[in-house]
Amino acid sequence: MARQDLLALTPDDLIALSNRGIVKRAQREVEAGEAGAEVSEDADGNVMARWPDGAACRISPREKLSDGCCTCAATAVCRHLIGTILGYQAQTSKSKDAPTAAESWDPGAIPDEALSSWWTAKQLALLRQQFDAGMVVELHRGARPGARLHSIAHSLRFLVPGDPRYTRCDCAEQAPCKHVPLAIWAFRLLAKGRD
Ligand SMILES: [Zn+2]
Ligand SMILES: [Zn+2]
């Protein structure tokens, strides 16, 4: 079972999750064949890599992508994780598991069960209150749908279809931040024509 979430991430998505310098460097290394890490995937879909500098990455299909997925000292998504994802994509693109071109999708289709994996019931209840109190939200459909939450001056993008973990918001929280459920609910209203 290939990790469709990791395969769906484009270089621009990876820049959104880390930064341009990290992605450019990792791309150069992969292209030069000097990836530096052996990337493997186990039967449960964990993608793992061990780096020459001692760092070890483990990207679980059931956890969010964060600095906690790598053993190095970085406090954000680091070059090891980006290198691991690029290395995984390079390995997998040789097989027929590679995904097709991205199509437009609706974040409103992400079910509440998926939200409860990443936010507590209490957090969601507070956010729901905030949402129901009324918000001005501007939504963009597409392969990378986006929401601009005018009321609280934040905007975010969804990077991987159906997966709230891979989001890029301009707030300071690690992805997925608390603005993601707000955006998902707004997309649901749009789907019902209640915008
Ligand atoms: Zn690292
Ligand atoms: Zn946010």
Side-chain angles (χ1 to χ4, degrees):
M1 258 301 277
R3 287 286 299 276
Q4 295 302 333
D5 55 338
L6 299 182
L7 295 176
L9 294 166
T10 65
D12 279 344
D13 297 335
L14 294 175
I15 290 170
L17 295 170
S18 57
N19 67 54
R20 187 170 298 275
I22 285 179
V23 173
K24 291 292 168 202
R25 176 177 169 185
Q27 279 178 318
R28 274 197 303 274
E29 287 172 347
V30 168
E31 278 159 22
E34 52 186 51
E38 190 104 336
V39 180
S40 61
E41 183 182 8
D42 70 15
D44 293 326
N46 296 300
V47 170
M48 288 160 299
R50 193 162 280 282
W51 290 79
D53 63 6
C57 299
R58 182 176 179 280
I59 307 176
S60 158
R62 283 169 297 278
E63 287 163 30
K64 60 189 175 188
L65 183 70
S66 73
D67 56 312
C69 301
C70 180
T71 57
C72 81
T75 53
V77 173
C78 63
R79 68 181 187 88
H80 304 112
L81 289 169
I82 297 298
T84 299
I85 293 169
L86 285 173
Y88 179 70
Q89 290 177 341
Q91 275 179 18
T92 313
S93 64
K94 295 183 189 113
S95 76
K96 57 180 184 313
D97 282 328
T100 49
E103 284 166 21
S104 183
W105 63 282
D106 179 13
I110 295 173
D112 279 340
E113 299 85 78
L115 299 183
S116 59
S117 305
W118 313 113
W119 293 273
T120 65
K122 195 176 165 191
Q123 285 173 319
L124 288 171
L126 282 171
L127 288 170
R128 189 76 220 186
Q129 263 179 21
Q130 187 184 5
F131 183 76
D132 287 341
M135 304 190 82
V136 179
V137 187
E138 186 185 326
L139 301 170
H140 300 279
R141 287 218 170 101
R144 301 283 182 281
R148 197 175 285 272
L149 308 165
H150 287 289
S151 314
I152 48 177
H154 284 299
S155 70
L156 63 93
R157 266 190 308 147
F158 292 84
L159 305 176
V160 173
D163 199 326
R165 280 179 295 175
Y166 300 97
T167 40
R168 174 63 191 164
C169 183
D170 59 6
C171 75
E173 269 182 60
Q174 274 204 2
C177 71
K178 62 176 182 281
H179 304 123
V180 172
L182 298 173
I184 288 172
W185 294 329
F187 269 104
R188 284 191 200 157
L189 293 185
L190 181 66
K192 285 185 198 145
R194 283 170 53 190
D195 51 326

Coordinates of all heavy atoms in Angstrom, one line a residue, residues 7 9 16 52 83 119 154:
L7 N 2.7 10.8 -1.7 CA 2.9 10.9 -3.1 C 2.2 12.1 -3.7 O 2.6 12.6 -4.7 CB 2.4 9.6 -3.8 CG 3.2 8.3 -3.5 CD1 2.5 7.1 -4.1 CD2 4.6 8.4 -3.9
L9 N 2.1 15.1 -2.5 CA 2.7 16.4 -2.2 C 3.7 16.8 -3.3 O 4.6 16.1 -3.6 CB 3.5 16.2 -0.9 CG 2.6 16.0 0.4 CD1 3.5 15.6 1.6 CD2 1.9 17.3 0.8
A16 N 5.6 24.8 1.3 CA 4.5 25.3 2.2 C 4.7 24.7 3.6 O 4.4 25.3 4.6 CB 3.1 25.1 1.7
P52 N 22.8 9.6 7.5 CA 24.2 9.5 7.9 C 24.6 10.3 9.2 O 25.5 9.9 9.9 CB 25.0 10.0 6.7 CG 24.1 9.9 5.5 CD 22.7 10.0 6.1
G83 N 13.6 15.3 2.8 CA 14.4 14.4 2.0 C 13.8 13.0 2.0 O 13.9 12.3 0.9
W119 N -8.1 16.7 16.7 CA -8.6 17.7 17.7 C -9.4 17.0 18.7 O -10.2 16.1 18.4 CB -9.3 18.8 17.0 CG -8.5 19.7 16.1 CD1 -7.8 20.7 16.4 CD2 -8.3 19.5 14.7 NE1 -7.1 21.2 15.3 CE2 -7.4 20.5 14.2 CE3 -8.8 18.6 13.7 CZ2 -7.0 20.6 12.9 CZ3 -8.4 18.7 12.4 CH2 -7.5 19.7 12.0
H154 N -6.9 34.9 9.0 CA -6.0 33.9 8.6 C -6.4 33.2 7.3 O -7.6 33.2 7.0 CB -5.9 32.8 9.7 CG -5.2 33.2 10.9 ND1 -3.8 33.6 10.9 CD2 -5.5 33.4 12.2 CE1 -3.4 34.0 12.1 NE2 -4.4 33.9 12.9

